Amino acid sequence: MVAGPRPSAVVLVVEDDILVRMIATDILADAGFRVIEARDAQEALTLLGARSDVQVVFTDCNMPGAIDGIGLAHLVHLRTPEVGIVVTSGKMRPAATDLPPGARFVAKPYHRSAIIDGVRSLIRPADESAEGPALVPQSVTGKPSLVDGGDIAAAPMSEPDKT
């Protein structure tokens, strides 16, 4: 069993059918995720452009507009590869090669556990920051530096010679 989501895990549900969107949103919210909604790919892309806290996009394949769910999945992966993707459909089952790397597929009708497990499997562990590596304060190192930037970010200051 995969551990539950961390409290700040945000899932963007993209579904044109309002009742289906409400069901998916309720399932994910009841599981402890913070959920935002979009009715189509264009609205989803607008939200993703305005927010940096989305960790998973949960999208239907068949949606009106110029971009369907598969196209949205590829755009999300191209623009923000750290965002997980779950694609869903009741009309088709895309081949693994149709989806971006790492994307999951959940068939409709939804099974509560399949949605929750699919999304949870894509949430980064709590020790991985959504904003990137941690910044060590200047007061500690003498200059701002990244924790995992390759160099030592902070080291104990040498003791003055007391002899």
Side-chain angles (χ1 to χ4, degrees):
M1 181 74 170
V2 179
R6 58 186 226 218
S8 63
V10 177
V11 179
L12 171 58
V13 174
V14 188
E15 170 65 61
D16 61 310
D17 184 315
I18 191 166
L19 293 176
V20 176
R21 187 170 66 236
M22 286 172 52
I23 290 168
T25 298
D26 286 348
I27 289 170
L28 291 167
D30 288 348
F33 295 100
R34 292 186 349 203
V35 183
I36 56 175
E37 303 174 29
R39 66 181 173 274
D40 59 28
Q42 190 57 51
E43 187 176 13
L45 291 170
T46 300
L47 285 167
L48 288 167
R51 297 185 65 135
S52 63
D53 60 345
V54 174
Q55 288 196 279
V56 176
V57 172
F58 183 88
T59 183
D60 185 28
C61 283
N62 302 310
M63 289 185 294
I67 306 169
D68 66 4
I70 302 282
L72 174 62
H74 284 282
L75 283 171
V76 169
H77 179 71
L78 181 66
R79 294 177 182 180
T80 51
E82 69 278 4
V83 172
I85 302 165
V86 177
V87 176
T88 183
S89 180
K91 297 178 181 174
M92 63 180 281
R93 182 173 184 97
T97 56
D98 293 337
L99 301 175
R104 308 279 192 272
F105 177 79
V106 174
K108 290 181 185 176
Y110 296 137
H111 293 276
R112 184 177 195 81
S113 62
I115 293 175
I116 295 168
D117 291 346
V119 170
R120 278 186 180 154
S121 71
L122 296 170
I123 300 293
R124 289 185 307 277
D127 62 344
E128 290 183 30
S129 170
E131 277 73 43
L135 188 63
V136 176
Q138 185 171 349
S139 62
V140 173
T141 64
K143 62 179 179 156
S145 55
L146 296 176
V147 169
D148 63 355
D151 295 327
I152 296 175
M157 297 179 74
S158 58
E159 290 283 324
D161 188 5
K162 297 179 183 176
T163 59

